[in-house]
Amino acid sequence: MDLIRDNWLSGVGFLGNSIDFSPVQLGFDSLQDIRSSRPDFHGATYQFLIGLLQTAYAPQDIEEWRERYETAPTEEELTAAFEPLRDAFFLENDGAAFMQDLNLPEQVNHLSVLDLLIDAGSSSNLYFNKPDPDHGMCESCFAQALLTLQLNAPSGGRGIRTSLRGGGPLTTLLVPVQADATLWQRVWLNVLPLDALTFSAVKTLSDILPWMATTRTSDDQGGRETPPDSVHPLQAYWSMPRRIRLDASTSIVGDCSVCGATHIRLIRQYLTRHGGTNYTGTWLHPLTPYSLDAKGEKPPLSIKGRHAGRGYRDWLGLVLGNDEHQPDAAHVVSHFISKVQRPDVRLWCFGYDMSNMKALCWYDSTLPVHRVSPHNQRLFTKNIKLILDSANDMASMLHKQVKAAWFRRPGDAGSEPVVNQSFWQSSEKLFYDVLRNMSELDFESDDELAQVFRRWLHETRGLALGLFDHWALSGPIEHTDLQRVVKARADLAKELSSGKAIKPLWKIASELKKEKA
């Protein structure tokens, strides 16, 4: 299968119809989105198309980026742009094959293609599919499964390498708000202009596409590491930590266990071996946020997929970046916020929550992105951080006092994360309303800012006390100590007005109240 010219991808048209297409047809104005049989395939396919454009069709600057956003390329233009890479994008080949080891030795393992699925660690982890025992994947699903694993590879035991971003990384992509946005625009939003990147010269194609040369193995015999300066930075889009090869000898004709396609060629097994590429050092993937060491003594740590399920608590870091303890936004996101700014977008966040090789959960969420004038950006960021810090304090206070109501010795009791999470979930809509209000402020009027703070404080106070009442009385009635509950509630009410992160907001709000009086 030719992954450049064959119609192996499924898209959604504006009428909800299904359209099979190839990457060179990405600019068709009839395509609205990608249709995938699994959510993790969906995210990986977006990354495939973004990587392809970033490698072979990147604009020189923002002006060219804007022109291409408004006017999608023709099939002929993309065919010409992708032609130099075409030999690297065949799923099966006597030599180099897409994301597969060029020279696997004779001592290999023969595994079921279902082992390519990241959630296949146990029956409880099969979130998206529960294939029949008589399994097999069509060529399209095999390509997507291979891609998904290489991009997100979790730890798998001794010598089984994780992805360039570590196991289960978070991916953050910009998506247009407008309902009539095309698939081309959805993908193109996440392609960076060349003047936003610092690239070394390309010596060989294998510096970018590692399967075009012998694998940089990392087994016990003469293994080596692969830091960023040893290959080309664009390999971040095409990393290949696992040594895998499609086993064509096991193919049959039947029904695909993943997408359900009928009477089609199925691939049933693949060959694999430990000791794939070991990515080390300061790799920064453009589509992933990182936690940066303020002292610069430790390499950046990629943010993991679980952060896509934490609601608004990471909004500031994921969207605007933060130089403290929150994530630093992905390069694509920070470049858009600071340089591009239009069109209106949202932030799509997704990824696995992994525990070593076990998938605990798949998270998939979107966050709002507000356009703020450059001269207000610093104050906007500062005040949103005050609100987020206060929310963190309130959630902790609620958790602390619910435990005090439940237990005679709360310090000896374990954590009750569901209580903490209930505050974040219940206050999410309020936060996004406040966020929108804050984005519209000019910050020259103290009264306007104070009104936003007052609304936030009064509504979250009522919310926290209401949640306390729910949780404090939710236990078995025979174990309820009403005196303990009353005291814990009074302590919570007091703390909601005097917490360290809450006081600055109350001060501003109270000053407005005094002026009006």
Side-chain angles (χ1 to χ4, degrees):
M1 186 168 67
D2 182 345
L3 300 180
I4 297 292
R5 296 192 181 184
D6 287 351
N7 292 353
W8 65 284
L9 298 173
S10 181
V12 181
F14 284 91
L15 298 177
N17 53 312
S18 182
I19 304 172
D20 292 337
F21 71 101
S22 67
V24 295
Q25 298 167 337
L26 181 58
F28 283 9
D29 59 10
S30 57
L31 287 166
Q32 184 183 32
D33 202 351
I34 292 168
R35 173 170 284 158
S36 300
S37 53
R38 292 168 50 101
D40 54 348
F41 285 10
H42 191 69
T45 303
Y46 262 96
Q47 293 178 75
F48 172 86
L49 294 172
I50 292 165
L52 200 53
L53 293 172
Q54 190 70 69
T55 303
Y57 195 65
Q60 290 295 323
D61 50 35
I62 291 178
E63 287 70 27
E64 187 175 11
W65 184 94
R66 291 190 188 281
E67 291 175 3
R68 293 183 182 178
Y69 182 83
E70 297 297 336
T71 305
T74 64
E75 182 175 352
E76 291 71 25
E77 288 174 321
L78 287 182
T79 298
F82 297 160
E83 185 60 28
L85 305 180
R86 190 179 174 202
D87 288 345
F89 284 84
F90 286 95
L91 187 61
E92 292 180 77
N93 213 343
D94 291 336
F98 175 69
M99 280 197 162
Q100 296 169 62
D101 194 279
L102 183 61
N103 294 307
L104 272 181
E106 293 182 0
Q107 298 78 24
V108 295
N109 295 317
H110 297 251
L111 298 180
S112 161
V113 290
L114 299 186
D115 288 337
L116 293 174
L117 303 177
I118 292 175
D119 62 317
S122 69
S123 59
S124 63
N125 286 337
L126 295 173
Y127 298 116
F128 310 135
N129 299 94
K130 294 190 176 180
D132 294 330
D134 188 18
H135 59 266
M137 284 188 198
C138 66
E139 293 174 326
S140 176
C141 285
F142 181 89
Q144 292 176 78
L146 176 64
L147 172 69
T148 302
L149 179 61
Q150 297 286 28
L151 294 182
N152 302 281
S155 59
R158 182 173 176 270
I160 308 299
R161 302 304 176 192
T162 61
S163 81
L164 176 141
R165 294 174 277 181
L170 177 69
T171 300
T172 57
L173 301 182
L174 299 162
V175 293
V177 170
Q178 65 210 68
D180 60 348
T182 62
L183 176 58
W184 167 258
Q185 292 172 325
R186 291 171 179 269
V187 173
W188 189 249
L189 269 175
N190 299 281
V191 176
L192 289 162
L194 292 176
D195 63 4
L197 301 167
T198 303
F199 281 167
S200 56
V202 180
K203 297 179 181 178
T204 63
L205 188 57
S206 62
D207 284 342
I208 298 174
L209 309 176
W211 60 91
M212 298 301 290
T214 301
T215 300
R216 294 172 59 91
T217 56
S218 58
D219 51 20
D220 295 335
Q221 298 179 353
R224 52 181 171 172
E225 297 180 343
T226 301
D229 58 3
S230 63
V231 293
H232 195 275
L234 280 176
Q235 190 168 139
Y237 291 92
W238 307 108
S239 56
M240 201 178 77
R242 299 293 181 89
R243 303 186 70 183
I244 291 170
R245 194 81 184 184
L246 180 156
D247 186 358
S249 67
T250 65
S251 64
I252 60 172
V253 174
D255 300 344
C256 179
S257 297
V258 176
C259 71
T262 59
H263 198 66
I264 197 168
R265 181 184 181 230
L266 302 180
I267 301 163
R268 304 189 67 198
Q269 290 190 0
Y270 68 97
L271 313 175
T272 186
R273 181 180 168 83
H274 66 275
T277 305
N278 185 22
Y279 294 98
T280 60
T282 56
W283 279 100
L284 292 173
H285 194 290
L287 305 179
T288 288
Y290 284 80
S291 175
L292 306 178
D293 179 26
K295 297 181 180 179
E297 297 175 354
K298 299 178 181 178
L301 295 176
S302 64
I303 301 302
K304 303 306 180 186
R306 70 180 71 94
H307 283 254
R310 285 166 50 93
Y312 69 87
R313 69 186 77 184
D314 295 318
W315 183 90
L316 186 60
L318 295 178
V319 176
L320 298 181
N322 195 327
D323 58 1
E324 296 190 14
H325 301 296
Q326 296 192 36
D328 192 53
H331 188 183
V332 162
V333 177
S334 61
H335 177 265
F336 180 89
I337 295 295
S338 62
K339 303 291 185 182
V340 184
Q341 298 187 333
R342 285 179 171 80
D344 293 335
V345 299
R346 293 176 64 83
L347 190 66
W348 174 26
C349 311
F350 57 86
Y352 275 105
D353 181 13
M354 301 297 302
S355 175
N356 294 319
M357 67 184 73
K358 299 289 186 181
L360 302 179
C361 189
W362 168 262
Y363 287 110
D364 196 308
S365 61
T366 58
L367 303 177
V369 177
H370 294 284
R371 189 162 53 241
V372 179
S373 61
H375 73 276
N376 283 336
Q377 189 75 53
R378 184 183 63 81
L379 288 173
F380 175 75
T381 301
K382 174 185 175 182
N383 286 292
I384 290 300
K385 187 176 186 307
L386 288 175
I387 287 177
L388 287 170
D389 287 346
S390 73
N392 191 60
D393 264 18
M394 291 178 201
S396 297
M397 292 169 185
L398 174 64
H399 178 258
K400 171 186 171 185
Q401 295 305 335
V402 167
K403 286 178 59 178
W406 279 352
F407 305 110
R408 185 172 61 85
R409 296 167 59 92
D412 295 342
S415 175
E416 300 289 343
V418 67
V419 176
N420 211 315
Q421 183 67 9
S422 70
F423 177 84
W424 290 106
Q425 290 180 340
S426 299
S427 59
E428 188 167 33
K429 182 180 183 302
L430 173 62
F431 172 78
Y432 289 137
D433 287 345
V434 168
L435 181 67
R436 185 184 64 255
N437 293 338
M438 192 82 76
S439 70
E440 297 169 352
L441 297 183
D442 60 11
F443 293 100
E444 294 180 2
S445 170
D446 292 338
D447 287 357
E448 291 183 1
L449 179 60
Q451 288 179 40
V452 173
F453 282 167
R454 283 188 69 190
R455 181 192 175 193
W456 169 256
L457 290 166
H458 283 294
E459 293 195 28
T460 49
R461 177 184 175 84
L463 185 67
L465 291 172
L467 287 169
F468 174 88
D469 295 341
H470 166 76
W471 290 114
L473 301 177
S474 63
I477 189 67
E478 63 270 17
H479 297 308
T480 300
D481 184 329
L482 289 181
Q483 184 175 2
R484 199 166 61 213
V485 171
V486 170
K487 182 180 184 305
R489 194 182 197 279
D491 289 344
L492 176 61
K494 181 179 179 181
E495 289 180 342
L496 289 171
S497 300
S498 59
K500 182 179 179 182
I502 299 173
K503 275 186 176 180
L505 278 70
W506 275 118
K507 182 179 180 182
I508 296 172
S510 298
E511 288 175 355
L512 171 66
K513 190 174 181 181
K514 291 177 182 177
E515 289 175 7
K516 289 193 171 182

